[in-house]
């Protein structure tokens, strides 16, 4: 079975994370197993100097996994970012849906988050028409060729995800 995935895309500081937090809560209340992948175009660290995991990675480990009874984390070095499809297949195969934040250049279905005070132009329409756009969550009444969802109604966004990807 292939895990369903949809990417939330937007210009920075539009509210993607805030919307995702609320949509995840609604999907969890409905009993779905939800995964999230956050795209970071910059370098990041989850290891911190002085911690054993940091010391082991600094010593040269190419992959370091830390596990406890509640969770695990993996630090895996690579020369280039793996394709999103590979990440989903490798790490998320036991879930109902994967929501990603970012990955605006991927071929995955996308929901664009649009806040009019941030920008009146869409990333996935206009001259950059993206055929993978499936909906726009906006605080404006837009007329588009895809459904326009109320940005301030995360339950409706969760409904759209459930109807489109989980049934």
């Amino acid at each position: 079975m292939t895990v369903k995935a949809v990417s939330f895309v937007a210009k920075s500081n539009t509210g993607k994370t805030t919307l995702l937090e609320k949509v995840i809560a609604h999907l969890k209340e409905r009993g779905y197993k939800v995964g999230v992948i956050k795209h970071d175009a910059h370098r990041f660290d989850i290891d911190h100097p002085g911690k054993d995991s940091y010391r082991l990675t600094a010593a040269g480990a190419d992959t370091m996994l830390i596990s406890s009874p509640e969770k695990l984390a993996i630090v895996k070095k690579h020369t280039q970012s793996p394709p999103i499809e590979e990440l989903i297949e490798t790490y998320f195969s036991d879930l109902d849906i994967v929501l990603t934040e970012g990955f605006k250049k991927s071929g995955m279905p996308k929901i664009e988050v649009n806040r009019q005070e941030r920008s009146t132009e869409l990333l996935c329409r206009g001259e950059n028409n993206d055929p993978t756009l499936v909906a726009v969550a906006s605080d404006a009444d837009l007329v588009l060729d895809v459904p326009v969802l109320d940005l301030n109604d995360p339950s409706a966004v969760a409904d759209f995800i459930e109807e489109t990807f989980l049934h």
Side-chain angles (χ1 to χ4, degrees):
M1 179 181 119
T2 304
V3 179
K4 305 292 185 190
V6 62
S7 191
F8 283 68
V9 300
K11 295 179 179 177
S12 61
N13 298 315
T14 302
K16 294 183 301 291
T17 302
T18 301
L19 179 60
L20 268 171
E21 286 175 308
K22 294 173 182 174
V23 169
I24 291 165
H26 283 285
L27 292 172
K28 291 299 294 176
E29 286 173 3
R30 298 170 192 193
Y32 293 107
K33 293 173 72 177
V34 180
V36 177
I37 302 174
K38 164 88 172 107
H39 184 257
D40 189 337
H42 312 287
R43 297 182 75 186
F44 71 92
D45 269 317
I46 62 168
D47 270 352
H48 301 286
K51 293 293 190 182
D52 292 349
S53 56
Y54 178 90
R55 292 173 55 202
L56 296 168
T57 302
D62 295 304
T63 301
M64 196 289 307
L65 187 143
I66 184 169
S67 182
S68 76
E70 297 89 32
K71 57 187 168 184
L72 68 81
I74 188 167
V75 176
K76 185 170 186 66
K77 294 180 182 176
H78 52 249
T79 56
Q80 61 183 359
S81 215
I84 184 68
E85 297 81 7
E86 182 182 315
L87 293 173
I88 291 169
E89 187 175 319
T90 303
Y91 300 106
F92 295 87
S93 62
D94 61 335
L95 303 175
D96 297 311
I97 185 123
V98 177
L99 306 177
T100 74
E101 183 176 333
F103 299 99
K104 60 186 168 203
K105 294 182 180 174
S106 79
M108 288 190 307
K110 296 175 186 73
I111 295 174
E112 182 166 345
V113 179
N114 170 256
R115 188 173 305 281
Q116 288 292 291
E117 86 179 18
R118 171 67 178 93
S119 177
T120 57
E121 294 181 22
L122 297 175
L123 293 174
C124 298
R125 282 298 178 261
E127 77 179 50
N128 298 319
N129 189 33
D130 186 337
T132 65
L133 183 70
V134 295
V136 173
S138 181
D139 59 358
D141 291 326
L142 303 174
V143 177
L144 297 170
D145 60 334
V146 295
V148 178
L149 311 169
D150 184 348
L151 175 62
N152 298 309
D153 186 357
S155 180
V157 177
D159 289 345
F160 176 82
I161 291 169
E162 186 174 34
E163 291 163 12
T164 306
F165 298 98
L166 295 168
H167 282 165

